[in-house]
Amino acid sequence: AGDGSGAVAEDGEPPASARVLFPPTFSVSEIKNKQRRHFMFLRWKQQQRKEKLAAKKKRRKEREALGDKAPPKAIPKTIENQRVYDETTVDPNDEEVAFDEATDEFAPYFNRQTVPKILITTSDRPRGRTVRFCEQLSTVIPNSHVYYRRGLALKRIIPQCIARDFTDLIVINEDRKIPNGLVLSHLPDGPTAHFRMSSVRLRKEIKRKGKEPTEHVPEVILNNFTTRLGHSIGRMFASLFPHDPQFIGRQVATFHNQRDYIFFRFHRYIFKSEKKVGIQELGPRFTLKLRSLQKGTFDSKFGEYEWIHKRREMDTSRRKFHL
Amino acid sequence: QVVWDTLGNRQFCSYKITTKTQNFCRNEYNLTGLCNRSSCPLANSQYATIREEKGRCYLYMKTIERAAFPRRLWERVLLNKNYEKALEEIDENLIYWPRFIRHKCKQRFTKITQYLIRIRKLTLKRQRKLVPLRRKIERREKRREEKALVAAQLDNAIEKELLERLKQDTYGDIYNFPIHAFDKALQQQDAESESESDAEKEEDDDEDMDKREFVEADDSDLSDFEDMDKLETSSEEEQEVEEEVEKKASRSKSKGKTPLKGPARRKRPYIEIEYEKETEPATKTKAA
């Protein structure tokens, strides 16, 4: 066994003379003894690392030597680069999409015919954290009201809301004293989106020194909503906020989509100079992941689902995203 | 008697469950749930229980005469749905039976009807559906979320977006940053009076009014819609209001991060206006 390990150690070195027959070399994985195998593997790994470092140094020297004529640096592969091309990606000049959006449920909002009025509620018996989160959310979204639900069925709330001119309904679902789900439904018969909410941070848990959000209407930033589905969700978020932001308030609400996770942040910005802006986070933050999108208002049994997240079909590839 | 001496208390009874304080009997025909001499269906030759199946209650009775026939041991009587009538039926069936059994039967029947009512009420209300989490999936999602957060670089993205909006002039004339042409123009105007610069500001306000629109920028560019929105006509009232607003904002541009309320704001500009007249570049360096 000692000879065997000796033979492996000399594997990388060139043979002393071509005529000497070496015993057949063992690969590291064939050693039966776990400790020794582990040891050999570590040694092999170290060797690989050394070689890699040497190669890097060589490349860098070459690059310096060439100076201006050096070939451009290789772009590292990221998940966003390698993303599987989604056929429903929206082209900016797509007429069909433009036409669709002009006639869908958000058209009256984008034509400034309706002012959003939002009802925020929770599931039964909300606990402290959820309640506080609801309050903070209502300060972030202008023209929103929080109502507590005492055992009322959603299906019965919805016609009442429509009668009182609400445009959107947000239901925050709670589990074990933390909010973990969000149902956002556009009321006059609009689409309903069901999200899973995670990493909710209340205002006092965010490290910042700012004050509360004021009553000004914030701006909205929607990032990275590329596919058709993402587009419609983005419009849904946009329709929560009134169309005319008040720039004095210098507040901005951001919905940033990255790999199917939507991050919500609420900041106050200040332009320190023409090319520098400082942002200060105030307001709650949370991340959403879309679970399903329904055509009509909230109806779990008879609703027409436009999109559901099916784990077996959709989570198969690491580089495939739907939003 | 014999059964109890052998089985019940001393030796092993497979229906018996012992806990620290009490013995329970797991037998389905047991009247109370406890393992006692008086409530063991094996030890008593004359016994009765109430059991319910599919929402209907039955009275089960066991008598000595049928002790030899295990198949016909328990006699079953369907009870009335009406609570009071059912109680009368129990009474009439257990008419010469020991008081204990009768009493316990009625108690048990009462409890059963109560919980049946509760079940019926609850099924009418909305039920909470418990969806089981899957640990592996939860962990995977959490990890992916963290990585996505890191990859997102939110602060940078937001800052970039805001700067772009500034460049595209969506903010109108609130922020007077020295773009090079503006700088030269200002240096020229430094010598001139302030009323002229005010007039210029007003003109700029009118021009930039049309460019104010609701800003919603996707990376995929709803640029078509931005164009559509830019074409909206602005009323005169809006212009007047926004002019005032802009003047206030331009005065307060060199404030700190916390926006002050209305009356408090007006105090500062009274002081700052003097600075503006004399040394304009000074205020700009402050803002920068």
Side-chain angles (χ1 to χ4, degrees):
Chain A
D3 288 329
S5 52
V8 174
E10 280 145 19
D11 212 6
E13 302 173 3
S17 88
R19 281 182 215 151
V20 176
L21 278 174
F22 275 89
T25 50
F26 294 92
S27 68
V28 178
S29 52
E30 278 176 15
I31 306 175
K32 299 288 185 180
N33 186 335
K34 185 166 177 175
Q35 218 172 5
R36 244 180 258 151
R37 188 172 66 232
H38 184 60
F39 178 72
M40 297 313 314
F41 178 70
L42 287 179
R43 217 188 308 168
W44 178 79
K45 263 291 196 186
Q46 277 176 4
Q47 211 174 29
Q48 295 290 94
R49 245 179 278 154
K50 249 192 264 177
E51 287 173 14
K52 195 169 168 194
L53 207 60
K56 244 197 206 174
K57 269 195 185 163
K58 205 168 110 184
R59 245 184 290 140
R60 210 200 303 162
K61 279 208 183 120
E62 285 175 11
R63 171 177 289 275
E64 282 173 15
L66 284 177
D68 282 331
K69 293 182 246 165
K73 269 193 180 176
I75 312 171
K77 292 191 216 172
T78 63
I79 293 187
E80 281 80 21
N81 289 351
Q82 310 292 91
R83 178 175 171 174
V84 167
Y85 176 69
D86 200 338
E87 45 204 23
T88 62
T89 311
V90 171
D91 198 26
N93 306 324
D94 203 345
E95 284 177 356
E96 189 187 320
V97 172
F99 178 70
D100 265 340
E101 295 193 348
T103 53
D104 78 348
E105 290 107 357
F106 298 109
Y109 168 73
F110 282 105
N111 295 338
R112 310 221 177 170
Q113 288 164 7
T114 52
V115 177
K117 190 174 170 198
I118 297 165
L119 178 69
I120 303 181
T121 181
T122 65
S123 53
D124 267 351
R125 295 183 174 269
R127 310 303 291 182
R129 227 182 124 89
T130 316
V131 167
R132 268 177 278 151
F133 177 65
C134 278
E135 287 169 24
Q136 292 184 3
L137 201 60
S138 70
T139 55
V140 163
I141 305 179
N143 206 2
S144 62
H145 306 269
V146 183
Y147 283 102
Y148 292 115
R149 185 131 71 100
R150 295 184 82 248
L152 301 170
L154 264 186
K155 288 184 205 164
R156 258 174 252 155
I157 291 187
I158 288 181
Q160 283 185 21
C161 285
I162 301 181
R164 292 187 202 182
D165 256 352
F166 279 99
T167 56
D168 289 280
L169 173 69
I170 298 181
V171 183
I172 297 181
N173 189 40
E174 183 205 354
D175 175 51
R176 291 218 197 131
K177 303 174 197 173
I178 48 168
N180 72 345
L182 185 88
V183 175
L184 167 62
S185 98
H186 191 70
L187 270 183
D189 206 36
T192 307
H194 180 35
F195 298 93
R196 188 228 304 260
M197 183 152 56
S198 44
S199 58
V200 174
R201 301 277 174 263
L202 298 177
R203 207 178 283 139
K204 62 177 183 178
E205 293 163 8
I206 304 178
K207 298 175 194 164
R208 85 270 171 295
K209 293 167 222 157
K211 295 187 185 165
E212 313 180 342
T214 56
E215 286 298 316
H216 296 111
V217 172
E219 290 177 50
V220 177
I221 294 182
L222 298 163
N223 268 344
N224 260 342
F225 287 94
T226 45
T227 64
R228 248 342 234 11
L229 180 65
H231 231 58
S232 46
I233 302 274
R235 301 185 95 229
M236 236 177 141
F237 284 130
S239 71
L240 288 178
F241 295 88
H243 218 198
D244 304 307
Q246 293 171 319
F247 297 122
I248 330 169
R250 284 189 288 134
Q251 289 171 142
V252 58
T254 309
F255 291 91
H256 182 103
N257 171 41
Q258 185 85 13
R259 301 183 195 174
D260 276 358
Y261 288 96
I262 303 174
F263 298 100
F264 171 81
R265 300 285 185 271
F266 193 74
H267 291 279
R268 175 166 285 141
Y269 62 88
I270 177 170
F271 284 107
K272 295 183 197 160
S273 76
E274 193 184 73
K275 305 224 170 138
K276 238 181 117 186
V277 60
I279 53 175
Q280 185 191 43
E281 180 159 10
L282 36 107
R285 65 156 84 158
F286 51 89
T287 63
L288 299 171
K289 183 156 200 274
L290 181 68
R291 263 207 268 194
S292 68
L293 181 64
Q294 256 182 5
K295 260 276 147 199
T297 55
F298 180 75
D299 200 334
S300 41
K301 276 191 255 173
F302 306 112
E304 177 196 333
Y305 279 95
E306 208 178 296
W307 189 83
I308 317 181
H309 177 79
K310 293 190 189 133
R311 184 172 62 87
R312 303 227 158 186
E313 298 171 14
M314 298 183 179
D315 266 355
T316 45
S317 158
R318 278 191 213 193
R319 295 171 188 83
K320 184 167 195 302
F321 306 111
H322 312 283
L323 271 189
Chain B
Q1 178 64 35
V2 178
V3 174
W4 182 251
D5 282 338
T6 49
L7 214 53
N9 239 357
R10 311 245 200 85
Q11 288 186 13
F12 182 72
C13 170
S14 75
Y15 294 109
K16 183 169 170 189
I17 300 178
T18 52
T19 48
K20 250 192 258 183
T21 44
Q22 213 167 42
N23 295 338
F24 292 106
C25 183
R26 230 179 26 183
N27 197 333
E28 1 170 85
Y29 288 104
N30 192 323
L31 193 51
T32 61
L34 318 169
C35 189
N36 288 331
R37 170 72 181 86
S38 50
S39 42
C40 185
L42 304 169
N44 293 321
S45 36
Q46 194 186 45
Y47 202 70
T49 331
I50 307 277
R51 277 176 74 187
E52 63 94 22
E53 267 162 53
K54 292 186 192 164
R56 300 304 308 274
C57 298
Y58 298 92
L59 168 66
Y60 283 78
M61 289 179 290
K62 160 177 149 174
T63 43
I64 312 178
E65 294 109 23
R66 296 197 302 269
F69 313 110
R71 230 172 108 234
R72 294 174 238 161
L73 188 56
W74 289 96
E75 180 190 337
R76 178 163 105 160
V77 173
L78 178 62
L79 297 174
N80 205 326
K81 269 197 185 173
N82 188 345
Y83 180 67
E84 284 137 24
K85 285 197 191 152
L87 283 181
E88 285 169 10
E89 279 183 16
I90 293 178
D91 262 335
E92 134 197 352
N93 271 317
L94 298 181
I95 192 168
Y96 293 116
W97 285 53
R99 238 177 312 156
F100 174 76
I101 295 183
R102 249 185 293 156
H103 186 59
K104 287 293 178 187
C105 270
K106 285 189 226 165
Q107 273 189 340
R108 193 181 164 96
F109 175 68
T110 315
K111 257 291 152 53
I112 289 180
T113 46
Q114 283 173 350
Y115 84 62
L116 284 176
I117 292 173
R118 206 153 157 246
I119 290 177
R120 274 179 250 144
K121 228 192 274 181
L122 279 181
T123 51
L124 288 180
K125 282 193 181 175
R126 302 161 308 125
Q127 301 258 13
R128 242 180 221 216
K129 188 174 176 198
L130 295 175
V131 175
L133 294 179
R134 303 196 174 193
R135 215 177 298 174
K136 191 170 169 188
I137 295 179
E138 290 299 306
R139 262 192 282 154
R140 186 165 50 160
E141 300 278 309
K142 218 168 119 189
R143 233 178 317 147
R144 287 205 183 152
E145 189 187 319
E146 285 165 7
K147 303 219 168 170
L149 184 62
V150 169
Q153 293 176 357
L154 284 169
D155 291 342
N156 291 350
I158 297 178
E159 287 174 7
K160 245 191 267 178
E161 179 64 36
L162 288 170
L163 286 172
E164 258 203 47
R165 288 189 187 179
L166 182 68
K167 269 192 209 149
Q168 289 175 0
D169 250 350
T170 50
Y171 298 135
D173 203 27
I174 312 179
Y175 302 102
N176 297 336
F177 282 123
I179 318 167
H180 296 293
F182 200 111
D183 218 350
K184 288 179 196 167
L186 272 175
Q187 281 170 5
Q188 289 175 10
Q189 283 175 13
D190 239 341
E192 299 173 11
S193 61
E194 200 190 3
S195 58
E196 287 185 49
S197 60
D198 268 347
E200 276 197 7
K201 268 190 196 172
E202 287 184 35
E203 285 172 31
D204 288 335
D205 290 351
D206 290 339
E207 284 174 346
D208 293 333
M209 211 55 58
D210 293 338
K211 294 182 194 166
R212 273 182 166 230
E213 82 273 65
F214 178 65
V215 276
E216 170 200 61
D218 297 4
D219 273 356
S220 64
D221 250 47
L222 283 179
S223 53
D224 296 340
F225 297 102
E226 283 186 8
D227 289 330
M228 271 164 48
D229 284 339
K230 278 184 188 174
L231 295 175
E232 61 151 353
T233 56
S234 51
S235 60
E236 280 186 339
E237 288 178 332
E238 279 183 34
Q239 283 185 357
E240 286 175 0
V241 169
E242 282 172 348
E243 264 181 55
E244 290 174 1
V245 156
E246 283 187 346
K247 278 189 187 164
K248 269 193 196 171
S250 61
R251 274 177 220 143
S252 55
K253 65 174 154 65
S254 52
K255 270 190 304 170
K257 282 184 182 178
T258 57
L260 299 172
K261 305 276 173 167
R265 255 189 214 154
R266 281 182 221 130
K267 283 185 190 170
R268 272 201 188 180
Y270 288 131
I271 309 171
E272 283 184 355
I273 283 179
E274 296 172 34
Y275 287 122
E276 274 182 277
K277 278 179 190 167
E278 292 168 357
T279 52
E280 284 218 51
T283 54
K284 259 179 238 101
T285 52
K286 268 192 208 168

